[in-house]
Amino acid sequence: MMDFSVNTNTGYTQPYCASSPAETETDTDNQANSKYDELLLWQACIQSSIDECTLIDMEAYSDLEDADEWNAKFEEVIQKYTEVADGTPYSFAEEGKSYGEALDELAQSHINTYDIIDSDGKITFEEYKQSEILEYNHFLPEGETPLTEDDEVAAEMFKSSFNFMDFNGDNVIDKDEVKTYYVMADMFDSIENPPENPEDAMDGNIKFSSVSTMSDIMTCDAPEGSEEAESKEILRSAMTEIYETNKTPQEPENKTELPKANEPTAKGKMALNIEKNLLKDNPFKKQDE
């Protein structure tokens, strides 16, 4: 069975998974490198625990000959352990920091991890793809085949996910777009039954099922008119609204300083006074009357 415990080194709660590659001495020593590292480790441990427990349970159904029945039972068991895992969410909230400050720290650490080529504070698709491959291979169980850039299926999934996250269509993912992802992950468990006050759904806690489901939706190539396509449209619409509402105001690229008005001369002041008097006692107005 899964055993959940609090990691006192990092201050966040994670499942214990002795068989996970993440539990090496090096990783344990570096767990507090960044908020994003913590999140990755949490996800890897949760996934490892769910997979291990599911495989153990499924041994009892090895005699099922009908593939549909076996698949249905498999999904049922995974759902059972996912619900258990959701009782131990990842929390990016920190004592002494506002929601916005904690969110900003998590988003910045995410950007720092992915911005591996240009180091310009934004994520290009090439950076996104390479970072995803590095993460996948880092947590790959020993003996499994590493992922490479030649994998066309994976490349298509990465592209779908990248395009989904690029809310303003500028072909890069910026900090505001990363923040949008985490706000949605935080609120996702309330998406079907939202509270009257949206802030009640924003507690800084992210459930495993939320990031897992969001990932499935973002990476899928859903046929038009399908249920998957509808889910993808609903999720992106909600995230786009979050992004548009909270994005950082941008300064115009070609902003020019307007020249400062010169102090009027004595003659200029006289002209201004004459103009004011004309406006006040307009002779044409009197003639019209």
Side-chain angles (χ1 to χ4, degrees), residues 1-288:
M1 297 296 292
M2 273 194 289
D3 175 31
F4 292 89
S5 58
V6 175
N7 185 314
T8 55
N9 293 322
T10 60
Y12 69 98
T13 306
Q14 66 176 53
Y16 172 73
C17 47
S19 62
S20 171
E23 286 295 302
T24 63
E25 182 177 353
T26 301
D27 288 325
T28 302
D29 292 339
N30 296 322
Q31 283 174 356
N33 279 352
S34 75
K35 299 298 292 182
Y36 186 65
D37 290 337
E38 295 175 7
L39 177 63
L40 284 182
L41 183 60
W42 168 79
Q43 285 183 270
C45 289
I46 290 267
Q47 188 65 66
S48 178
S49 296
I50 291 176
D51 291 346
E52 184 177 352
C53 293
T54 298
L55 289 175
I56 293 172
D57 275 20
M58 288 306 296
E59 291 178 1
Y61 305 101
S62 59
D63 57 343
L64 282 177
E65 296 181 359
D66 187 281
D68 290 337
E69 288 185 18
W70 192 92
N71 288 333
K73 182 57 68 174
F74 184 72
E75 292 297 328
E76 179 184 322
V77 174
I78 286 181
Q79 181 63 28
K80 177 179 71 173
Y81 286 113
T82 299
E83 289 177 359
V84 173
D86 276 349
T88 311
Y90 169 79
S91 177
F92 62 81
E94 289 188 36
E95 187 175 351
K97 290 186 178 181
S98 67
Y99 185 95
E101 290 170 337
L103 176 66
D104 188 83
E105 182 181 345
L106 175 58
Q108 186 61 60
S109 66
H110 188 133
I111 289 284
N112 293 344
T113 301
Y114 275 64
D115 188 16
I116 58 178
I117 299 176
D118 299 329
S119 298
D120 59 355
K122 297 179 180 180
I123 305 169
T124 64
F125 174 65
E126 188 61 30
E127 290 174 325
Y128 184 87
K129 180 178 66 175
Q130 290 188 24
S131 298
E132 288 285 320
I133 291 174
L134 287 172
E135 286 179 9
Y136 180 89
N137 290 336
H138 178 74
F139 293 107
L140 195 66
E142 188 176 349
E144 295 289 332
T145 304
L147 187 63
T148 69
E149 294 189 33
D150 296 330
D151 191 315
E152 295 181 0
V153 175
E156 289 179 6
M157 292 174 63
F158 296 151
K159 189 63 175 176
S160 177
S161 182
F162 179 87
N163 290 341
F164 189 100
M165 287 277 291
D166 183 18
F167 299 111
N168 62 6
D170 62 355
N171 296 317
V172 292
I173 295 175
D174 60 32
K175 192 174 179 180
D176 286 335
E177 288 165 328
V178 174
K179 284 183 180 181
T180 297
Y181 169 81
Y182 287 116
V183 170
M184 188 73 258
D186 184 6
M187 299 175 64
F188 192 81
D189 56 318
S190 303
I191 196 169
E192 292 185 358
N193 297 297
E196 291 185 11
N197 183 1
E199 292 184 2
D200 291 340
M202 297 166 60
D203 56 6
N205 294 321
I206 299 175
K207 292 183 177 180
F208 179 80
S209 62
S210 295
V211 291
S212 180
T213 303
M214 284 176 61
S215 177
D216 289 344
I217 294 174
M218 291 165 60
T219 57
C220 75
D221 184 16
E224 187 176 350
S226 65
E227 185 176 341
E228 292 80 5
E230 183 180 358
S231 296
K232 193 168 186 174
E233 180 58 33
I234 291 173
L235 181 61
R236 196 171 198 282
S237 177
M239 293 175 74
T240 300
E241 184 174 349
I242 293 172
Y243 171 76
E244 291 293 340
T245 304
N246 298 282
K247 66 181 179 181
T248 305
Q250 299 294 317
E251 291 289 338
E253 292 184 3
N254 299 321
K255 182 179 179 181
T256 56
E257 293 289 336
L258 295 175
K260 295 181 178 179
N262 294 325
E263 185 70 15
T265 62
K267 187 181 290 185
K269 290 180 179 178
M270 186 183 298
L272 289 174
N273 287 332
I274 293 172
E275 183 179 359
K276 288 179 182 177
N277 290 331
L278 287 174
L279 292 174
K280 182 178 180 181
D281 301 310
N282 192 323
F284 296 102
K285 184 178 180 181
K286 290 180 178 178
Q287 183 178 348
D288 293 337

